[in-house]
Amino acid sequence: MSEATSRLKVGLDVPWVTSWSEEPQLGVGPCPSVDGELAIAQAEKPGRGRPLYSRNHLFRQRKSVREMLCPMCGQPTAEGDRWSQTGHPTTAGELRLRGFGPALPADMADGQALLNCGAIAPLHRACAEASLARCPHLGGMEDKTLKAFPTAWVVIPLWVEAKPEAPHARPVPVVSFLQLVGVEG
Ligand SMILES: [Zn+2]
């Protein structure tokens, strides 16, 4: 049963970026989504088994941020049609205090306004409105205003430690997800 193809449609009923139960993690390897750096790999079988709504697929998530693909439908978003539902305003100074300094350009002023989108790339307006109507979690949000995503941004790799299988091997840093921070003009 668990191998069955779901009747739920990827990109319509279930966000393209969502993991499915038939997509196990596959360990660590160089990944094109992070220019060949080591990253956590995951099987690609969207639509198989059941959707794991609270888990983004590692590769599709990184690809969505790198290539500005809408996490709902998986298609590219164009400048002017990029909208964030869950991003929140912050500043470069605040992110530096939280330890993200090395990922920000050194010459960026502390007062620079940013839109921290976490792991969620901006959506097409039509996709954002459809998912607000369908997704109970998003529907319950206090602030349902769609925020226009800026035309500039910074991508921050989120590193975790992976333990190689060889005995006594040292843990190596590998990328899990990519965090996206819009830079307000
Ligand atoms: Zn879309």
Side-chain angles (χ1 to χ4, degrees), residues 70 72-75 123-124 127:
C70 171
M72 187 64 207
C73 70
Q75 297 302 309
L123 295 85
H124 298 112
C127 291

